[in-house]
Structures are given as structure tokens and as C-alpha cells.
Amino acid sequence: MTLRDPALHIRPALATDVRGIRELTKPYVESRAIAPKASVAYYEGVQEFLVVEREDRLVGCGALHVMWEDVAEVRTLAVAAEEKGQGIGSTLLESLLDRARELAVRRVFCLTFEVDFFAAHGFSEIDGDPVAPDVFAEMLQSYDEGVAEFLDLDRVKPNTLGNHRMLLTL
């Protein structure tokens, strides 16, 4: 995908981008739109991220986290407030979906307050169990909170109030 503004550049994140990613996501964490994470979690998952930069400043980020053979999650999709409305979020999402296709992942999950944005990209709200019972049992062994959110486990519900579980089949 390409961005409308030639001054913007999308690329895989580097370990040196983590501080910028944390600054970019800080307002979203404060508003509870993105779950808070320790710095180490960002470093551990940096290979999952794409970033958008303008003149060496990060203005957008997003991650794709594979959860199972055919399921991945879009995480931490954020755009700097002053850069919204330029297609950065849509381009990041489409680029993450392209990565999912490259990995042969057929379904992509998100937990979001931005229902209209994700619906415009083909996502639908999840109704019922998103995986077969045997896969559900396997996924229960994960320590990842995103997996717990995907499975709609009771233990994560206090932290996800108001969020919508959405899924796209590629």
C-alpha cells in the first residue's frame, strides 16, 4: 500500500522505534482505547509492528500478532492526532492484512472501539465462539491477553468494557 503524502513512509519497525511507538500510543492508552503494556512487551513484539514516519518522526503504528494457524490479531493501531484523516490508519491496516495473507492467515481479529473504521474494511462483530472447541482448548493455554480477549474469557471483560470483538475473513 502507498500513502497519499509522499513525505510519509511505511516500514517494518525497528527496536529503536519502541520509544516512539510508546509515545505515539500514550494518548490511546490514557483514553483506554489501547491496553497498557510494559516497555518489554513492545520490544518483545517489535517484529510484529509496521510504522509510518514523516521526517524521522513516527506518526502511525500497528501490529499483527499471529494467535493460531488461521487467526491473527491487529493490535496497537495508532495514528498521531495531528495526522488523522490522511489515510494513515487505513494504509497501516491494509498493510497488516497483506502481512496476514503472506503468512497464510485466513482470519484477522481486532478488539476495538472503532467499529465503523474496521467495518469499513470488512470486519464484522463476532457472534459466538470464534474457533472450534479443540482449538479453543489449545488457545486457553496462552498467557497472551489478546488471545483471552479473542476467546471472550470472563477474566478479561472488566478491562475490555465497551470494546467490540471483530473479525475479518480474508
mmCIF file of all heavy atoms in Angstrom, residues 18-42:
data_model
loop_
_atom_site.group_PDB
_atom_site.id
_atom_site.type_symbol
_atom_site.label_atom_id
_atom_site.label_comp_id
_atom_site.label_asym_id
_atom_site.label_seq_id
_atom_site.Cartn_x
_atom_site.Cartn_y
_atom_site.Cartn_z
ATOM 1 N N VAL A 18 10.773 1.637 19.398
ATOM 2 C CA VAL A 18 9.856 1.318 20.502
ATOM 3 C C VAL A 18 9.523 2.554 21.329
ATOM 4 O O VAL A 18 8.359 2.777 21.685
ATOM 5 C CB VAL A 18 10.382 0.162 21.370
ATOM 6 C CG1 VAL A 18 9.582 0.012 22.655
ATOM 7 C CG2 VAL A 18 10.329 -1.137 20.571
ATOM 8 N N ARG A 19 10.489 3.386 21.627
ATOM 9 C CA ARG A 19 10.176 4.598 22.408
ATOM 10 C C ARG A 19 9.183 5.482 21.657
ATOM 11 O O ARG A 19 8.252 6.033 22.239
ATOM 12 C CB ARG A 19 11.453 5.365 22.728
ATOM 13 C CG ARG A 19 12.254 4.681 23.793
ATOM 14 C CD ARG A 19 13.379 5.545 24.306
ATOM 15 N NE ARG A 19 14.046 4.811 25.374
ATOM 16 C CZ ARG A 19 15.335 4.787 25.538
ATOM 17 N NH1 ARG A 19 16.123 5.472 24.741
ATOM 18 N NH2 ARG A 19 15.857 4.102 26.526
ATOM 19 N N GLY A 20 9.361 5.623 20.367
ATOM 20 C CA GLY A 20 8.431 6.409 19.557
ATOM 21 C C GLY A 20 7.052 5.779 19.493
ATOM 22 O O GLY A 20 6.038 6.482 19.513
ATOM 23 N N ILE A 21 6.991 4.460 19.410
ATOM 24 C CA ILE A 21 5.710 3.750 19.404
ATOM 25 C C ILE A 21 4.987 4.000 20.725
ATOM 26 O O ILE A 21 3.789 4.285 20.750
ATOM 27 C CB ILE A 21 5.913 2.243 19.146
ATOM 28 C CG1 ILE A 21 6.358 2.010 17.703
ATOM 29 C CG2 ILE A 21 4.633 1.457 19.452
ATOM 30 C CD1 ILE A 21 6.820 0.592 17.409
ATOM 31 N N ARG A 22 5.725 3.922 21.816
ATOM 32 C CA ARG A 22 5.103 4.162 23.134
ATOM 33 C C ARG A 22 4.585 5.603 23.251
ATOM 34 O O ARG A 22 3.504 5.832 23.791
ATOM 35 C CB ARG A 22 6.066 3.827 24.261
ATOM 36 C CG ARG A 22 6.246 2.300 24.392
ATOM 37 C CD ARG A 22 7.081 1.892 25.571
ATOM 38 N NE ARG A 22 6.669 2.428 26.836
ATOM 39 C CZ ARG A 22 5.731 1.915 27.634
ATOM 40 N NH1 ARG A 22 5.060 0.843 27.244
ATOM 41 N NH2 ARG A 22 5.453 2.463 28.785
ATOM 42 N N GLU A 23 5.331 6.560 22.724
ATOM 43 C CA GLU A 23 4.869 7.957 22.745
ATOM 44 C C GLU A 23 3.623 8.124 21.876
ATOM 45 O O GLU A 23 2.685 8.820 22.256
ATOM 46 C CB GLU A 23 5.970 8.902 22.270
ATOM 47 C CG GLU A 23 6.964 9.259 23.338
ATOM 48 C CD GLU A 23 6.319 9.920 24.551
ATOM 49 O OE1 GLU A 23 5.573 10.919 24.389
ATOM 50 O OE2 GLU A 23 6.557 9.435 25.679
ATOM 51 N N LEU A 24 3.626 7.476 20.724
ATOM 52 C CA LEU A 24 2.507 7.557 19.803
ATOM 53 C C LEU A 24 1.244 6.943 20.407
ATOM 54 O O LEU A 24 0.143 7.456 20.229
ATOM 55 C CB LEU A 24 2.880 6.837 18.506
ATOM 56 C CG LEU A 24 1.928 6.902 17.346
ATOM 57 C CD1 LEU A 24 1.713 8.334 16.885
ATOM 58 C CD2 LEU A 24 2.481 6.077 16.191
ATOM 59 N N THR A 25 1.400 5.849 21.142
ATOM 60 C CA THR A 25 0.243 5.156 21.711
ATOM 61 C C THR A 25 -0.184 5.725 23.063
ATOM 62 O O THR A 25 -1.281 5.408 23.530
ATOM 63 C CB THR A 25 0.528 3.645 21.859
ATOM 64 O OG1 THR A 25 1.651 3.456 22.717
ATOM 65 C CG2 THR A 25 0.779 2.998 20.512
ATOM 66 N N LYS A 26 0.633 6.554 23.669
ATOM 67 C CA LYS A 26 0.339 7.075 25.018
ATOM 68 C C LYS A 26 -1.062 7.688 25.137
ATOM 69 O O LYS A 26 -1.807 7.349 26.065
ATOM 70 C CB LYS A 26 1.417 8.071 25.426
ATOM 71 C CG LYS A 26 1.271 8.575 26.834
ATOM 72 C CD LYS A 26 2.417 9.512 27.195
ATOM 73 C CE LYS A 26 2.261 10.015 28.619
ATOM 74 N NZ LYS A 26 3.349 10.925 28.969
ATOM 75 N N PRO A 27 -1.485 8.580 24.217
ATOM 76 C CA PRO A 27 -2.843 9.125 24.351
ATOM 77 C C PRO A 27 -3.933 8.052 24.240
ATOM 78 O O PRO A 27 -4.974 8.150 24.892
ATOM 79 C CB PRO A 27 -2.960 10.127 23.194
ATOM 80 C CG PRO A 27 -1.582 10.352 22.700
ATOM 81 C CD PRO A 27 -0.756 9.184 23.099
ATOM 82 N N TYR A 28 -3.694 7.039 23.437
ATOM 83 C CA TYR A 28 -4.663 5.952 23.286
ATOM 84 C C TYR A 28 -4.725 5.097 24.553
ATOM 85 O O TYR A 28 -5.797 4.638 24.944
ATOM 86 C CB TYR A 28 -4.303 5.066 22.090
ATOM 87 C CG TYR A 28 -4.440 5.756 20.751
ATOM 88 C CD1 TYR A 28 -3.374 6.455 20.197
ATOM 89 C CD2 TYR A 28 -5.624 5.701 20.035
ATOM 90 C CE1 TYR A 28 -3.490 7.087 18.961
ATOM 91 C CE2 TYR A 28 -5.760 6.326 18.803
ATOM 92 C CZ TYR A 28 -4.681 7.023 18.281
ATOM 93 O OH TYR A 28 -4.808 7.644 17.060
ATOM 94 N N VAL A 29 -3.587 4.893 25.190
ATOM 95 C CA VAL A 29 -3.550 4.151 26.449
ATOM 96 C C VAL A 29 -4.267 4.952 27.530
ATOM 97 O O VAL A 29 -5.068 4.405 28.296
ATOM 98 C CB VAL A 29 -2.093 3.823 26.854
ATOM 99 C CG1 VAL A 29 -2.038 3.244 28.256
ATOM 100 C CG2 VAL A 29 -1.467 2.855 25.851
ATOM 101 N N GLU A 30 -3.999 6.256 27.575
ATOM 102 C CA GLU A 30 -4.637 7.110 28.583
ATOM 103 C C GLU A 30 -6.153 7.142 28.421
ATOM 104 O O GLU A 30 -6.879 7.222 29.406
ATOM 105 C CB GLU A 30 -4.056 8.521 28.520
ATOM 106 C CG GLU A 30 -2.633 8.582 29.025
ATOM 107 C CD GLU A 30 -1.946 9.921 28.780
ATOM 108 O OE1 GLU A 30 -2.521 10.782 28.061
ATOM 109 O OE2 GLU A 30 -0.827 10.096 29.299
ATOM 110 N N SER A 31 -6.635 7.060 27.196
ATOM 111 C CA SER A 31 -8.081 7.049 26.961
ATOM 112 C C SER A 31 -8.666 5.635 27.015
ATOM 113 O O SER A 31 -9.866 5.465 26.793
ATOM 114 C CB SER A 31 -8.409 7.689 25.611
ATOM 115 O OG SER A 31 -7.989 6.852 24.543
ATOM 116 N N ARG A 32 -7.825 4.650 27.269
ATOM 117 C CA ARG A 32 -8.211 3.239 27.394
ATOM 118 C C ARG A 32 -8.622 2.604 26.063
ATOM 119 O O ARG A 32 -9.251 1.561 26.032
ATOM 120 C CB ARG A 32 -9.282 3.039 28.451
ATOM 121 C CG ARG A 32 -8.830 3.458 29.837
ATOM 122 C CD ARG A 32 -9.905 3.266 30.867
ATOM 123 N NE ARG A 32 -10.467 1.941 30.767
ATOM 124 C CZ ARG A 32 -10.486 1.050 31.748
ATOM 125 N NH1 ARG A 32 -9.963 1.337 32.893
ATOM 126 N NH2 ARG A 32 -11.041 -0.121 31.567
ATOM 127 N N ALA A 33 -8.259 3.234 24.940
ATOM 128 C CA ALA A 33 -8.539 2.651 23.624
ATOM 129 C C ALA A 33 -7.522 1.572 23.282
ATOM 130 O O ALA A 33 -7.809 0.674 22.493
ATOM 131 C CB ALA A 33 -8.537 3.740 22.552
ATOM 132 N N ILE A 34 -6.319 1.665 23.854
ATOM 133 C CA ILE A 34 -5.279 0.641 23.713
ATOM 134 C C ILE A 34 -4.883 0.203 25.109
ATOM 135 O O ILE A 34 -4.693 1.043 26.005
ATOM 136 C CB ILE A 34 -4.050 1.184 22.947
ATOM 137 C CG1 ILE A 34 -4.408 1.435 21.474
ATOM 138 C CG2 ILE A 34 -2.866 0.222 23.041
ATOM 139 C CD1 ILE A 34 -3.274 2.007 20.630
ATOM 140 N N ALA A 35 -4.766 -1.104 25.292
ATOM 141 C CA ALA A 35 -4.397 -1.645 26.601
ATOM 142 C C ALA A 35 -2.959 -1.264 26.944
ATOM 143 O O ALA A 35 -2.084 -1.305 26.076
ATOM 144 C CB ALA A 35 -4.544 -3.162 26.606
ATOM 145 N N PRO A 36 -2.721 -0.884 28.196
ATOM 146 C CA PRO A 36 -1.345 -0.551 28.599
ATOM 147 C C PRO A 36 -0.458 -1.788 28.575
ATOM 148 O O PRO A 36 -0.912 -2.900 28.870
ATOM 149 C CB PRO A 36 -1.511 -0.019 30.019
ATOM 150 C CG PRO A 36 -2.806 -0.561 30.501
ATOM 151 C CD PRO A 36 -3.672 -0.782 29.292
ATOM 152 N N LYS A 37 0.799 -1.577 28.176
ATOM 153 C CA LYS A 37 1.783 -2.665 28.142
ATOM 154 C C LYS A 37 3.100 -2.128 28.664
ATOM 155 O O LYS A 37 3.428 -0.958 28.455
ATOM 156 C CB LYS A 37 2.012 -3.164 26.713
ATOM 157 C CG LYS A 37 0.882 -3.907 26.087
ATOM 158 C CD LYS A 37 1.335 -4.500 24.774
ATOM 159 C CE LYS A 37 0.560 -3.875 23.642
ATOM 160 N NZ LYS A 37 0.866 -4.409 22.342
ATOM 161 N N ALA A 38 3.853 -3.003 29.264
ATOM 162 C CA ALA A 38 5.202 -2.646 29.708
ATOM 163 C C ALA A 38 6.099 -2.476 28.482
ATOM 164 O O ALA A 38 5.852 -3.067 27.424
ATOM 165 C CB ALA A 38 5.759 -3.747 30.612
ATOM 166 N N SER A 39 7.131 -1.681 28.644
ATOM 167 C CA SER A 39 8.080 -1.469 27.533
ATOM 168 C C SER A 39 8.600 -2.788 26.991
ATOM 169 O O SER A 39 8.747 -2.952 25.781
ATOM 170 C CB SER A 39 9.256 -0.603 27.991
ATOM 171 O OG SER A 39 8.823 0.701 28.256
ATOM 172 N N VAL A 40 8.886 -3.727 27.875
ATOM 173 C CA VAL A 40 9.450 -5.002 27.440
ATOM 174 C C VAL A 40 8.510 -5.723 26.473
ATOM 175 O O VAL A 40 8.957 -6.381 25.545
ATOM 176 C CB VAL A 40 9.835 -5.897 28.639
ATOM 177 C CG1 VAL A 40 8.611 -6.391 29.400
ATOM 178 C CG2 VAL A 40 10.712 -7.051 28.192
ATOM 179 N N ALA A 41 7.201 -5.560 26.650
ATOM 180 C CA ALA A 41 6.247 -6.207 25.748
ATOM 181 C C ALA A 41 6.353 -5.629 24.335
ATOM 182 O O ALA A 41 6.231 -6.359 23.351
ATOM 183 C CB ALA A 41 4.827 -6.054 26.278
ATOM 184 N N TYR A 42 6.599 -4.325 24.250
ATOM 185 C CA TYR A 42 6.787 -3.716 22.929
ATOM 186 C C TYR A 42 8.077 -4.213 22.277
ATOM 187 O O TYR A 42 8.103 -4.490 21.084
ATOM 188 C CB TYR A 42 6.802 -2.190 23.024
ATOM 189 C CG TYR A 42 5.430 -1.588 23.202
ATOM 190 C CD1 TYR A 42 4.954 -1.232 24.455
ATOM 191 C CD2 TYR A 42 4.606 -1.376 22.103
ATOM 192 C CE1 TYR A 42 3.703 -0.673 24.609
ATOM 193 C CE2 TYR A 42 3.349 -0.816 22.249
ATOM 194 C CZ TYR A 42 2.900 -0.466 23.508
ATOM 195 O OH TYR A 42 1.658 0.084 23.651
#
